[in-house]
Amino acid sequence: MRLLIIEDNQRLCQAITEGLRSQGFAVDAAGSAYDGLGVWQAASYDAVVLDLMLSDGNGLKVLKEMRDQGNMTPVLILTALGSIEDRVRGLDCGADDYLVKPFAMQELIARLRALLRRPGAALGRMLTLGSVKLDTSARIATVADAPLDLTRSELIVLEALLRNQGRVISKERLGECLYDFEQERSANSVETQVHRLRKKLASAGADVSLRTLRGLGYLAS
């Protein structure tokens, strides 16, 4: 899953970014309302963590503008403004959840996962295709109920393919799931991860096919 953090406190933003990346998320960060709006408009995200008191404006203006454009990405407001009036105002402007600073990283991660598990959102707990199962919360993959040893990148590829089973997912979209803007990638990095995952599934006896469709992308069936 790909997340956007809009937070002008650099140390806090870095801590949140590292915490979310450790849980398997790809994370982009913006340090102002202006940059946050531009980044949000430029890429597709599964959820956004939004501060309100930004150096160049109120985060609610960013949220309102994106909602006015029809963007319904789940948004969790993360702010020091904790009064009932502030919470109501944030939710009325289109936020999906509201967390007051200071906060525990575990709670932030749990709230984001809860948002992503809502109907129509990006994250469902258990994904299944044939003999392959993936528990997206525990980050455990199995084949015929036997554990499958996968790297973080291979788990991300498997999750993206299972969420799009029966549909072609482009190489570019897989790359977005694997890497954020700050991470460098080689020209064949996506192909390498798919190749390794395919070999591990075959070795485990999985009845799942990962097909490469030249010029289109990948298909799990």
Side-chain angles (χ1 to χ4, degrees):
M1 301 293 100
R2 192 174 187 185
L3 308 180
L4 173 62
I5 313 300
I6 305 176
E7 167 64 61
D8 62 355
N9 183 313
Q10 292 186 352
R11 292 183 62 184
L12 177 58
C13 187
Q14 183 63 30
I16 295 172
T17 298
E18 292 176 357
L20 292 173
R21 284 177 178 167
S22 73
Q23 296 298 308
F25 293 103
V27 183
D28 295 325
S32 68
Y34 178 82
D35 290 342
L37 182 60
V39 173
W40 195 352
Q41 291 173 330
S44 176
Y45 292 98
D46 297 298
V48 174
V49 177
L50 176 65
D51 186 17
L52 294 186
M53 296 187 295
L54 297 166
S55 58
D56 59 342
N58 192 317
L60 288 182
K61 292 183 178 180
V62 176
L63 175 58
K64 185 177 186 306
E65 182 160 348
M66 292 303 293
R67 291 298 191 241
D68 287 345
Q69 294 176 20
N71 187 301
M72 299 309 295
T73 302
V75 172
L76 184 150
I77 288 177
L78 184 64
T79 180
L81 300 175
S83 71
I84 295 297
E85 292 78 9
D86 289 322
R87 294 170 188 258
V88 170
R89 188 179 302 112
L91 295 171
D92 282 347
C93 283
D96 298 273
D97 200 358
Y98 199 107
L99 182 60
V100 178
K101 302 173 184 176
F103 63 96
M105 182 62 68
Q106 299 96 317
E107 182 177 4
L108 173 61
I109 293 170
R111 284 174 177 262
L112 284 170
R113 290 194 181 281
L115 284 181
L116 295 168
R117 283 196 297 269
R118 288 182 179 180
L123 189 61
R125 179 177 174 83
M126 187 68 70
L127 303 175
T128 303
L129 178 60
S131 60
V132 177
K133 293 182 181 179
L134 174 63
D135 185 326
T136 61
S137 293
R139 311 305 293 169
I140 296 174
T142 60
V143 174
D145 295 325
L148 184 63
D149 185 19
L150 299 179
T151 66
R152 171 186 175 276
S153 294
E154 290 161 356
L155 278 168
I156 291 172
V157 171
L158 179 61
E159 180 174 354
L161 290 168
L162 291 183
R163 291 191 184 284
N164 291 273
Q165 56 187 270
R167 302 191 302 270
V168 177
I169 181 170
S170 69
K171 175 182 172 181
E172 291 73 20
R173 179 55 182 157
L174 266 183
E176 289 179 356
C177 294
L178 276 166
Y179 309 104
D180 53 56
F181 287 147
E182 296 180 356
Q183 293 173 301
E184 294 184 3
R185 68 188 84 172
S186 63
N188 62 346
S189 55
V190 172
E191 292 95 329
T192 299
Q193 298 300 333
V194 172
H195 174 72
R196 291 174 178 171
L197 175 60
R198 186 184 285 125
K199 286 185 63 176
K200 288 186 178 182
L201 289 172
S203 297
D207 57 355
V208 170
S209 172
L210 304 185
R211 298 168 55 196
T212 301
L213 304 178
R214 297 297 177 187
L216 295 175
Y218 303 94
L219 176 69
S221 60

